[in-house]
Amino acid sequence: MTQAPQYLNVAQIVTPFGVQGELKVRPETDDPLRLKELKVVSCLLATGERIELHPEIVKLRKDGVLVVKFKEFDAPEPAAKLRRAWLQVPLSEAKREPGKVLYADVLGLIARDDATNAPLGTVREVLRAAQDLLEIETPDGKEVLVPWVDVFVKKVDLEGREIRLTPPEGLFE
C-alpha cells in the first residue's frame, strides 16, 4: 500500500545566482514565500542525501522565482551542489487550508465507485499537468488515470482513507 510521504516539497532549487551563494528557487506551493517563515528546511539533494538548511534571505522576483540565501553557503561554487534539490518540510508541518487536501494526503487512499461502493484500486500518484490526474492502480495491477475534477472526484475522505469517484464509463474495464 502506498503511504503518504514523510516530507512535502515546498520548492526546488534551480541554479546558483550571484556571487554570495544565493540560489534561484522554484516554489511548489500556493504560498511562494513559505520559505521565509521557516528557520530550518530539509533539503533532499539529487544524490538522495538529506541535509538541513537555514534560510537567511528569501526574495520573490516578479517572474515568480525566489532568490534564497542559506546560512550554510556564501559562494556559488559550493551552493552549486544543491542544483535540482528539493526543499521540503515534514508533512506534519504542512499548511492546510480548511476544506482542501494536499496531493500527498491522497496517496494510498482506496478509490471507490461512488454509485456502487465497489473498490476500483489505490491512489498511487498525483500527476501534475494542465489537468491534475489521479493514478489509480487497480486490483489486477492495471494503471488508470482519472482527471481530478469535480465531475469524476466526488469526495475525498481522509479519515475513512478513501476517495469516491464517478469515473467515465468504461475507464476501469
Side-chain angles (χ1 to χ4, degrees):
M1 174 177 178
T2 299
Q3 304 224 346
Q6 292 180 335
Y7 291 91
L8 183 69
N9 293 337
V10 293
Q12 186 174 34
I13 295 173
V14 180
T15 186
F17 181 79
V19 296
Q20 302 296 317
E22 295 172 314
L23 296 147
K24 283 187 182 179
V25 175
R26 186 184 70 241
E28 290 287 326
T29 72
D30 292 338
D31 180 6
L33 291 173
R34 172 86 163 105
L35 286 175
K36 204 171 202 171
E37 303 167 10
L38 301 173
K39 293 190 184 325
V40 64
V41 63
S42 183
C43 180
L44 181 63
L45 301 175
T47 62
E49 179 187 356
R50 183 175 296 282
I51 61 174
E52 286 190 347
L53 297 174
H54 300 84
E56 287 185 321
I57 300 169
V58 179
K59 298 182 264 185
L60 181 62
R61 295 180 359 167
K62 289 181 183 179
D63 62 1
V65 171
L66 296 170
V67 175
V68 181
K69 168 79 174 83
F70 293 102
K71 179 176 126 182
E72 291 79 4
F73 298 94
D74 57 7
E77 293 79 14
K81 82 173 195 172
L82 300 177
R83 187 174 299 187
R84 294 190 324 270
W86 286 100
L87 300 176
Q88 302 176 322
V89 296
L91 190 59
S92 61
E93 295 176 18
K95 285 187 172 182
R96 288 178 169 80
E97 292 183 32
K100 293 194 175 189
V101 296
L102 302 173
Y103 291 158
D105 291 334
V106 301
L107 300 179
L109 296 187
I110 301 299
R112 292 193 179 277
D113 187 301
D114 196 45
T116 66
N117 203 39
L120 300 170
T122 304
V123 179
R124 293 287 178 219
E125 189 64 65
V126 178
L127 305 174
R128 295 181 57 193
Q131 176 57 59
D132 294 339
L133 300 168
L134 294 170
E135 179 183 300
I136 310 288
E137 183 178 330
T138 65
D140 62 359
K142 181 177 154 189
E143 177 187 293
V144 177
L145 299 176
V146 178
W148 192 336
V149 292
D150 291 344
V151 70
F152 302 132
V153 178
K154 296 303 179 184
K155 181 180 179 184
V156 177
D157 179 2
L158 296 178
E159 287 182 21
R161 301 288 305 149
E162 69 178 20
I163 187 165
R164 308 292 294 195
L165 304 176
T166 303
E169 191 172 327
L171 186 63
F172 281 88
E173 294 173 8

